[in-house]
Amino acid sequence: MLGNFSSRNPLFAQWNPARPLATAITGKLRLGTFRERLEVGAFERPYYAYCVYHSADLAKKLGYREISMAEYGVAGGNGLVLLEQYAEEVSKEIGIGIQVYGFDTGAGLPAPVDYRDLPYHWKPGFFAMDEARLRERLKNAKLVIGDIRETAETFFDQYEPAPLAAVMHDFDFYSSTEVALTMLEVDEKYRLPRIYCYFDDIIGDEVELYNDFTGERLAIAEFNERNKTKKFSPAYHLITRDVPQQWYHQIYTLHDFEHRHYNAFVSENNQQLPLES
Ligand SMILES: C[S@@+](CC[C@H](N)C(=O)[O-])C[C@H]1O[C@@H](n2cnc3c(N)ncnc32)[C@H](O)[C@@H]1O
């Protein structure tokens, strides 16, 4: 019964009380393909897994041989370890090289610049990293340690990364995310025409009260305002799914309409709608 890892399998149907257990086992034992596990939600961080898989799939269709993925805001490293693991699996399944980068001060949150960094919710020093311990755990992912205001200046020259395909934004602050987003305005040789992005801090609760005028949401709005041919868009295909998930609202795709590969055909080749009798 577990052999069919699809949402059409009754074991993984929403109404089935055995679903959480079946999903947990599927995830733990990594049963089926990465794509199949994505379909039944068998990942600790389905939003990371989703971005990794679909950005690699797009890159492959566009003919890229190697791409990069980044996490902005690493803290202890739980997210980066998963990102590295997902990238390794997807790299094999899709047949494309994937580099992984993690950006962090190493010392936790810097001082907030002003109200836009939500000092009512964040304090300097939150989320400090045990760098030596994390480096021991990582296999291939590269840690870029330092304030993003400095590392953003040298990253592309220093690392010559493969084109960015997916980015996990978890810097918490407006001021840090604003800089991270300017890195997506770099020369197109470092970027895919469409980039999958996850934003961790745009929903929250009654304490955070994330809104369009502070934090990560403001950074997104300002990016869209200043760029006439590059735009972040919500993932409408996710937020309209029958069974809603909060993270669907945290996925955005960045479109660069002038990228030389933006118009390359990546859809189904054989599409006809003959008149029915
Ligand atoms: C919430 S934590 C990240 C959590 C991590 N993504 C995870 O899933 O476990 C936010 C991190 O952003 C980093 N950060 C915030 N502003 C930064 C900046 N200007 N430069 C570098 N790192 C920054 C902090 O050091 C902190 O570790």
Side-chain angles (χ1 to χ4, degrees):
M1 191 64 168
L2 259 177
N4 175 7
F5 304 95
S6 114
S7 51
R8 289 175 296 284
N9 181 337
L11 191 55
F12 295 105
Q14 287 299 319
W15 50 261
N16 194 332
R19 178 176 172 271
L21 183 63
T23 307
I25 293 172
T26 303
K28 187 90 187 149
L29 301 181
R30 299 195 202 167
L31 302 174
T33 64
F34 196 94
R35 168 129 211 169
E36 286 167 336
R37 271 179 280 140
L38 206 50
E39 200 181 325
V40 297
F43 287 99
E44 190 178 332
R45 293 200 190 193
Y47 32 95
Y48 277 29
Y50 175 87
C51 291
V52 171
Y53 183 86
H54 286 285
S55 63
D57 186 49
L58 171 64
K60 181 80 178 180
K61 286 176 179 158
L62 290 171
Y64 287 87
R65 293 163 67 161
E66 191 166 29
I67 53 177
S68 294
M69 318 214 158
E71 184 183 49
Y72 284 96
V74 175
N78 293 319
L80 191 64
V81 166
L82 283 178
L83 184 63
E84 181 185 64
Q85 179 198 309
Y86 296 163
E88 191 182 344
E89 271 196 75
V90 167
S91 168
K92 286 188 195 130
E93 189 161 314
I94 289 190
I96 191 165
I98 305 181
Q99 303 171 4
V100 176
Y101 296 91
F103 295 85
D104 204 286
T105 61
L109 289 178
V113 171
D114 61 25
Y115 74 95
R116 292 171 295 180
D117 289 343
L118 301 177
Y120 63 73
H121 178 54
W122 307 114
K123 275 187 177 173
F126 276 11
F127 314 122
M129 176 190 291
D130 182 338
E131 191 182 330
R133 195 161 162 240
L134 177 55
R135 283 193 189 276
E136 231 169 69
R137 273 286 280 290
L138 294 173
K139 293 190 202 159
N140 303 307
K142 294 197 169 69
L143 272 180
V144 185
I145 298 293
D147 193 302
I148 195 68
R149 284 166 279 216
E150 280 140 37
T151 53
E153 298 285 322
T154 53
F155 173 68
F156 293 103
D157 287 343
Q158 191 176 333
Y159 291 85
E160 282 286 325
L164 276 165
V167 183
M168 315 300 134
H169 291 278
D170 195 7
F171 267 160
D172 304 336
F173 282 5
Y174 157 77
S175 60
S176 310
T177 306
E178 197 265 334
V179 178
L181 297 192
T182 64
M183 292 174 73
L184 299 176
E185 294 168 329
V186 69
D187 189 287
E188 67 174 40
K189 74 178 175 184
Y190 292 121
R191 301 178 277 113
L192 254 62
R194 292 180 290 284
I195 300 180
Y196 283 80
C197 291
Y198 165 76
F199 289 90
D200 196 66
D201 305 289
I202 58 174
I203 296 185
D205 61 21
E206 292 81 2
V207 175
E208 285 116 318
L209 288 180
Y210 295 134
N211 62 85
D212 294 330
F213 309 99
T214 64
E216 293 176 5
R217 282 191 183 273
L218 176 62
I220 297 170
E222 286 184 355
F223 180 98
N224 279 347
E225 186 63 32
R226 83 173 164 268
N227 283 287
K228 296 298 164 224
T229 59
K230 295 185 192 71
K231 299 285 183 189
F232 279 104
S233 170
Y236 294 112
H237 61 288
L238 290 178
I239 60 184
T240 50
R241 279 187 181 175
D242 286 347
V243 183
Q245 302 281 340
Q246 177 176 301
W247 66 265
Y248 292 169
H249 295 267
Q250 294 170 273
I251 304 288
Y252 281 63
T253 48
L254 172 59
H255 295 249
D256 176 359
F257 309 124
E258 290 190 333
H259 192 292
R260 70 188 192 283
H261 295 314
Y262 190 80
N263 297 326
F265 188 80
V266 293
S267 194
E268 289 299 320
N269 241 320
N270 190 11
Q271 300 192 45
Q272 303 299 333
L273 291 172
L275 183 64
E276 289 167 17
S277 52

